[in-house]
Amino acid sequence: MTKLVESGDFMLAATVLFAVRTTEVSYGRAYANPEKDGASPWMATGPAYVPGAPEIENPGVLPMAPDEPGEPLIVSGVVRSTSGKPLPGAVIDLWQTTADGRYAGLTPEQAGPLEGLDLVDFDLPKFHLRGRIVADTEGRYEYRTVVPGVEPAAVPGSVLDDLLHMLGRATSRARHIHAYVSHDAHHLLTHQIHFEGDPLVDTVSEGAIARDLIHGTELHDDPPSGWHGV
Ligand SMILES: [Fe+2]
């Protein structure tokens, strides 16, 4: 721990190792209570959120280049209340990395430790792979994007990297897409989805990922436009 403090990585270590659990205790329970009422599991916001992302169509496409590198991905579902009722008009505010694991839209001040991890691309448009989608009259949503990249949790060879190895923790985070899910009549849910088959979902740096946050994918050759999964 002394080495960690001297290396300047103590705050990053606290974030990587404890942020999900400590923030869940202090904030998460106020928003959604999975054990009590069956809400989707709550996850930390993380440092990469940028407010004001543009609204996209539904079904729609997250803002990205026409030839965006990466594997195309279609995400679809239904926003429901904890009693199972679909929620038309619910807003899903999405943000994710590029396929090579970099966030757009952060200033050097906002990027903080992410910059040291090479997790920020300052050249991309501000809202690249960031967008808000509004659930339709049946609560449905669908968007196209690319499979997000892997985010390193520590600089290779750093004291934090050594500590994660010593603890048997992963030194990268599983691939994920962040979301704030909101609706006028309900508490905000801070959410992240992960992907079945990603080897990192079982070896995470910050603690086990709830199984309900890990979603299956199906491989399609060339899906037509329109609704797919729901
Ligand atoms: Fe993230």
Side-chain angles (χ1 to χ4, degrees):
M1 293 308 282
T2 305
K3 276 192 200 167
L4 203 55
V5 172
E6 287 170 357
S7 75
D9 270 354
F10 186 76
M11 288 312 293
L12 179 59
T15 303
V16 168
L17 292 169
F18 306 120
V20 172
R21 299 297 160 230
T22 53
T23 326
E24 183 180 50
V25 169
S26 51
Y27 299 111
R29 299 297 155 90
Y31 292 125
N33 196 332
E35 295 84 0
K36 182 165 150 281
D37 48 29
S40 294
W42 182 91
M43 288 290 282
T45 298
Y49 178 67
V50 175
E55 183 178 332
I56 62 170
E57 288 179 22
N58 184 17
V61 182
L62 281 187
M64 59 182 171
D67 56 348
E68 184 73 22
E71 186 159 13
L73 177 70
I74 298 171
V75 182
S76 61
V78 178
V79 183
R80 297 178 191 278
S81 70
T82 50
S83 61
K85 199 175 65 137
L87 290 178
V91 177
I92 310 170
D93 193 349
L94 298 154
W95 70 104
Q96 67 165 84
T97 68
T98 56
D100 68 351
R102 290 190 175 84
Y103 285 105
L106 297 168
T107 62
E109 295 75 41
Q110 289 168 322
L114 297 182
E115 191 176 356
L117 292 171
D118 200 17
L119 258 166
V120 185
D121 188 326
F122 295 110
D123 297 328
L124 290 170
K126 182 171 180 182
F127 293 117
H128 192 83
L129 294 173
R130 299 173 183 273
R132 288 179 302 121
I133 190 163
V134 180
D136 76 356
T137 51
E138 295 166 53
R140 299 181 304 174
Y141 65 90
E142 180 171 303
Y143 59 92
R144 280 183 187 236
T145 180
V146 291
V147 175
V150 172
E151 299 176 15
V155 176
S158 65
V159 177
L160 175 56
D161 190 51
D162 287 349
L163 177 67
L164 290 171
H165 278 111
M166 281 162 57
L167 293 172
R169 298 282 186 94
T171 54
S172 300
R173 298 203 61 230
R175 295 170 198 273
H176 58 276
I177 298 176
H178 295 268
Y180 279 137
V181 186
S182 60
H183 186 278
D184 287 347
H186 294 271
H187 289 303
L188 176 77
L189 176 70
T190 310
H191 200 48
Q192 283 178 35
I193 60 168
H194 297 77
F195 305 98
E196 217 169 79
D198 179 351
L200 286 164
V201 291
D202 292 320
T203 59
V204 287
S205 45
E206 76 270 28
I209 294 172
R211 301 313 295 178
D212 287 352
L213 292 174
I214 302 169
H215 299 274
T217 53
E218 272 175 41
L219 200 57
H220 299 270
D221 286 334
D222 189 14
S225 55
W227 293 99
H228 296 93
V230 290

